Amino acid sequence: MKIALIAHDKKKEDIIQFVTAYKSVFQQHELFATGTTGKRIMEEVSLTVHRFHSGPLGGDQEIGAMIARGEMDMVLFFRDPLTSQPHEPDVSALIRLSDVYEIPLATNMGTAEVLVKGLEHGYMDWLKLRKKQGEINDKQK
């Protein structure tokens, strides 16, 4: 599966701890991240991560484009709800795209853990349904 990892500045330590705790799960999947988050995961957790630009420079939008093309399966976005973000419209667009394309999205560690535990135990039937629906839509075009 293709998993996006994003964290606002005040949540970077949290995502590093989270990815470290579930390294055995994450190493089985293809990881994508915004700039600094991806760099830190690669350096501190020793996982391979495809890095995009930082969020304020378009990284959120790059991940959003993958979602729109059907190329992303899950997004873990550790948001800082107490700090104003200059690129908030991009954040909102990413969340909206996740909803439009039915991509599981966690915005905090608690929800991320539920998603990763489901991934770890193979509870991903929603993905099969989504891919089947995509095939049906493609045939109708």
Side-chain angles (χ1 to χ4, degrees):
M1 290 185 62
K2 294 180 179 182
I3 302 170
L5 302 165
I6 309 165
H8 285 148
D9 289 343
K10 291 185 179 180
K11 297 294 183 173
K12 292 206 190 303
E13 288 303 320
D14 290 346
I15 204 163
I16 296 299
Q17 290 175 4
F18 185 80
V19 172
T20 299
Y22 289 102
K23 181 178 180 179
S24 63
V25 176
F26 286 114
Q27 66 190 7
Q28 299 173 42
H29 301 279
E30 193 172 353
L31 305 179
F32 298 80
T34 50
T36 306
T37 301
K39 181 179 179 185
R40 292 205 43 204
I41 290 169
M42 291 185 342
E43 292 174 351
E44 298 177 40
V45 190
S46 301
L47 289 172
T48 301
V49 179
H50 175 82
R51 290 176 55 214
F52 293 112
H53 290 91
S54 69
L57 298 178
D60 297 340
Q61 292 179 337
E62 290 175 291
I63 291 171
M66 286 189 74
I67 291 170
R69 291 190 305 263
E71 299 171 355
M72 189 62 66
D73 299 308
M74 183 181 293
V75 177
L76 305 181
F77 188 169
F78 286 24
R79 297 178 64 210
D80 176 7
L82 301 177
T83 303
S84 176
Q85 301 297 327
H87 63 294
E88 191 62 38
D90 298 337
V91 172
S92 296
L94 181 64
I95 292 168
R96 181 184 162 279
L97 284 169
S98 295
D99 287 341
V100 167
Y101 292 98
E102 298 178 343
I103 301 301
L105 167 71
T107 59
N108 60 66
M109 193 178 302
T111 307
E113 185 168 40
V114 170
L115 289 179
V116 171
K117 285 285 192 180
L119 181 62
E120 182 178 35
H121 294 288
Y123 305 140
M124 295 294 135
D125 287 344
W126 59 267
L127 181 60
K128 295 174 193 169
L129 293 171
R130 185 169 53 104
K131 287 187 179 187
K132 184 176 181 178
Q133 184 61 42
E135 292 168 6
I136 291 168
N137 290 339
D138 288 342
K139 288 178 184 177
Q140 291 175 348
K141 289 181 182 176

